[in-house]
Amino acid sequence: MILGALEAGGTKMVCAVGKEDGTILCTETFPTLTPEETLPQLIRFFAGKNVESVGIGSFGPVDLDLASPTYGSITTTPKLAWQHTPIASRFRDALGVPVGFDTDVNGAAYGEALLGAGRGCSSLLYVTVGTGIGGGVILEGKPMHGMLHCELGHILLRPEADDPSPDGFCPFHKGCLEGLASGPALEKRWGRPGRDLGPDHPAWDLEARYLAQMCADVIVTLSPQKIILGGGVMHQDQLFPLIRRYTKEYLNGYIQTPEVTGGMEDYIVSPGLGDRAGITGALLLAKDALK
Ligand code: ZN
């Protein structure tokens, strides 16, 4: 079965052709310009490759309501050129194949649940910490939607007392998770990008506490069987032990499951698929679109 996959990001579009077991046969990356410039390039990539369906994991917000006339669209994104772009139907109409559609992070969560670090879990949370922060949720084996979809990057947090920029930088909420802990927030707070800060810089302890607040909040709300943290900022391996320690501290013994009473080494983990979680998940969305 030959499937198409698109990981549609705000800065780049990753296209791949692969198989239902997650094998990727070929891939190509395009910069995200305007829909008029970029969509024809992406459609040309898939044309002639005999894909039976295409799966799209997209930046958002997106419309995932199957009963909505704008299902499959990018909706109110701050990337103005992409507002109200019916991305799924553009591919369906141009290629004449079924199209599976979800958020980029739900796609990555789905990839991790079936083929990555979350194998065997029926519920999990996947979080990417990078230019933005996004969360994808798997519940009962499927991506969770609900009223809209998870917007975990914008949960409101308690500022840490030693934060030199406790107000945060989100244009909508200032001190939400993304406003306090995204890559750009780190850079604005410390005057240098995270990759230029040494592993012992106090930035990482503070970063870990904000991510631990999120983990503790999600443990008491969604109760996922695993929390997977990916994205560029999480390439800083020193964060994981700190996040586990502070999550435990914030829960303060209230939750007593085997997953969280130990050191949480198997509970708060990095993606098993590495940076391929999103594109692999999009392949799985393509497979589901054929059902
Ligand atoms: Zn926000």
Side-chain angles (χ1 to χ4, degrees):
M1 191 185 289
I2 300 296
L3 304 167
L6 167 63
E7 188 182 8
T11 52
K12 64 177 182 177
M13 299 277 180
V14 182
C15 294
V17 170
K19 297 190 198 169
E20 68 274 20
D21 64 358
T23 310
I24 291 168
L25 302 171
C26 69
T27 176
E28 196 169 341
T29 300
F30 302 87
T32 305
L33 307 172
T34 65
E36 293 71 32
E37 292 167 288
T38 303
L39 288 178
Q41 290 183 309
L42 308 180
I43 287 163
R44 267 200 301 278
F45 170 85
F46 292 113
K49 290 196 170 68
N50 291 320
V51 295
E52 291 180 50
S53 60
V54 173
I56 302 174
S58 176
F59 72 97
V62 296
D63 186 348
L64 299 175
D65 177 2
L66 285 164
S68 159
T70 55
Y71 166 78
S73 295
I74 295 171
T75 58
T76 54
T77 173
K79 279 190 81 75
L80 298 179
W82 288 83
Q83 278 194 353
H84 309 297
T85 299
I87 184 164
S89 65
R90 289 284 298 272
F91 283 85
R92 199 175 52 233
D93 295 348
L95 299 168
V97 297
V99 172
F101 186 69
D102 216 309
T103 65
D104 46 4
V105 274
N106 266 352
Y110 200 31
E112 284 293 322
L114 295 185
L115 298 169
R119 268 180 290 192
C121 297
S122 60
S123 72
L124 65 77
L125 170 75
Y126 172 90
V127 183
T128 179
V129 188
T131 310
I133 297 182
V137 180
I138 301 298
L139 275 184
E140 295 177 355
K142 289 286 170 197
M144 183 186 85
H145 296 159
M147 175 192 73
L148 177 69
H149 47 71
C150 184
E151 280 288 353
L152 189 78
H154 298 278
I155 59 169
L156 305 179
L157 297 185
R158 184 174 60 191
E160 296 283 341
D162 58 341
D163 185 346
S165 313
D167 290 342
F169 303 100
C170 174
F172 293 91
H173 320 109
K174 292 174 93 66
C176 64
L177 176 60
E178 188 168 293
L180 290 166
S182 65
L186 263 168
E187 184 169 347
K188 283 181 187 145
R189 179 183 293 116
W190 301 105
R192 279 179 291 166
R195 62 177 174 276
D196 294 348
L197 305 169
D200 298 323
H201 193 282
W204 303 118
D205 192 87
L206 182 63
E207 178 76 7
R209 278 177 275 149
Y210 284 132
L211 293 172
Q213 284 195 41
M214 176 273 290
C215 289
D217 287 351
V218 165
I219 288 168
V220 296
T221 49
L222 297 170
S223 201
Q225 290 167 316
K226 202 164 289 255
I227 297 177
I228 300 171
L229 305 179
V233 171
M234 295 311 302
H235 289 163
Q236 302 283 337
D237 292 335
Q238 70 275 18
L239 282 171
F240 279 95
L242 293 169
I243 293 168
R244 294 181 189 120
R245 191 176 93 211
Y246 285 122
T247 301
K248 204 173 163 101
E249 206 175 296
Y250 293 150
L251 291 172
N252 199 23
Y254 183 75
I255 306 283
Q256 292 285 341
T257 60
E259 289 86 345
V260 302
T261 46
M264 289 198 232
E265 287 89 355
D266 296 324
Y267 185 67
I268 298 176
V269 299
S270 54
L273 299 169
D275 293 332
R276 287 185 296 112
I279 198 71
T280 305
L283 271 182
L284 298 172
L285 294 174
K287 181 185 170 191
D288 284 1
L290 288 168
K291 283 178 189 162

